[in-house]
Amino acid sequence: MYLFLRLFWTLLLALLILGEDDSGSDLVPAFREVPSVRLAYMQGVFGNIFDHQTVRASQRVIRTVLDAVELVGMLPAHPKPARTLQTAGRRLGLHLDDYITQIPVCTHCWKPYTLEELASLEAPSCTVPRCPGIVYKVNLKRRREEDILHEGHNNGGGPNIPGAGSCDSTAQRRVPAKIQPWYSLVTGLRRYLLRPDFVDNLVDMSDHVDPPPLNDDTPMHDIYDGSRFGQLPMGLKRVIDADGAVRDVEISP
């Protein structure tokens, strides 16, 4: 029963995320910048990754190239070029953490929760009936006395003294008991299609319009060697817009 619930919540989560409009995402923000700035990013980031340069040395390379571009009066003001290694890597789309969504889930049935739902729960127990799982844990963190005094002055009520009145020197923070990392399939495919080697390995369906008949002795090397591959009607029509954008539209019955 709980295995079924886990599969159900996972599939529901997939449908919700895949159903979102992801057309406005920008996988590589550096594409919107001039080639000279992109070259500075690539020189610094690739030197850090492949040549094992230190962060300081890589940032020096980025800033040197940007200074040279600025010297000839071609450094754009917007968007402002990145001068740190971390920001340059993010502009090149190399920070995978930016594309991973961490979703709190129940420890037993894997029901997903939003951060707002996690903060509003009255108890850590899962809201699914008869589910023994929990959603969050409470971390107790001791606050320093000077932080408590500072908070009291900011509130205008005089300094808070630990252990006096309503002052509590222990801060409670809810943390998810289990995290399910999620990476959008649509975003993943877009990143893969930026790689020429991935595109070269795609199967050209024009070669499989009329596949030769197979007999019992013909070896099959992959799924596309089957006689039924590519023959299932999907009810979609490929449309190419005036600006070159390609999309599939449903054929009216």
Side-chain angles (χ1 to χ4, degrees):
M1 178 61 181
Y2 287 109
L3 177 61
F4 170 78
L5 286 175
R6 175 176 175 178
L7 294 175
F8 171 77
W9 292 121
T10 303
L11 291 176
L12 178 61
L13 186 62
L15 293 175
L16 290 175
I17 294 181
L18 290 178
E20 295 178 353
D21 184 10
D22 200 26
S23 59
S25 63
D26 193 353
L27 294 179
V28 184
F31 284 166
R32 297 179 298 180
E33 303 188 61
V34 296
S36 56
V37 174
R38 291 201 300 269
L39 178 62
Y41 298 163
M42 295 172 62
Q43 292 288 345
V45 173
F46 291 174
N48 176 258
I49 295 175
F50 297 107
D51 298 335
H52 307 289
Q53 294 180 355
T54 63
V55 174
R56 178 176 297 181
S58 300
Q59 291 183 159
R60 186 182 303 115
V61 172
I62 296 174
R63 294 169 181 174
T64 300
V65 178
L66 293 179
D67 290 342
V69 176
E70 186 179 16
L71 188 63
V72 297
M74 299 184 62
L75 188 67
H78 182 79
K80 186 177 180 180
R83 293 183 176 270
T84 63
L85 181 64
Q86 183 177 8
T87 305
R90 181 171 287 107
R91 296 275 181 93
L92 292 175
L94 299 179
H95 280 210
L96 297 182
D97 289 343
D98 296 340
Y99 309 105
I100 298 176
T101 304
Q102 296 186 354
I103 304 174
V105 296
C106 172
T107 57
H108 195 81
C109 71
W110 287 59
K111 179 186 184 303
Y113 291 85
T114 64
L115 294 179
E116 291 77 12
E117 291 174 339
L118 186 143
S120 61
L121 290 175
E122 297 181 357
S125 302
C126 179
T127 57
V128 176
R130 296 187 297 276
C131 176
I134 61 174
V135 182
Y136 67 86
K137 297 179 181 179
V138 177
N139 278 359
L140 301 179
K141 183 179 179 181
R142 299 284 299 182
R143 294 185 295 177
R144 295 181 303 175
E145 183 175 349
E146 52 267 27
D147 294 336
I148 299 174
L149 294 174
H150 179 71
E151 291 176 4
H153 283 296
N154 288 341
N155 294 332
N160 290 327
I161 307 300
S166 60
C167 174
D168 185 8
S169 60
T170 302
Q172 295 185 358
R173 186 169 65 95
R174 294 184 178 184
V175 294
K178 181 184 287 292
I179 289 290
Q180 180 180 4
W182 183 267
Y183 186 73
S184 171
L185 294 179
V186 175
T187 304
L189 287 175
R190 289 177 177 175
R191 289 185 57 86
Y192 295 152
L193 290 172
L194 294 175
R195 300 180 59 90
D197 53 348
F198 179 82
V199 177
D200 293 339
N201 289 326
L202 295 178
V203 178
D204 186 2
M205 290 301 300
S206 61
D207 298 336
H208 295 77
V209 177
D210 296 317
L214 299 176
N215 53 46
D216 295 340
D217 299 328
T218 301
M220 296 177 60
H221 302 283
D222 210 324
I223 186 174
Y224 52 77
D225 291 332
S227 58
R228 299 295 297 172
F229 181 79
Q231 298 185 10
L232 179 65
M234 302 298 296
L236 299 175
K237 179 182 178 181
R238 179 64 52 86
V239 176
I240 302 178
D241 297 332
D243 58 355
V246 181
R247 56 191 176 91
D248 293 332
V249 297
E250 186 176 358
I251 302 176
S252 301

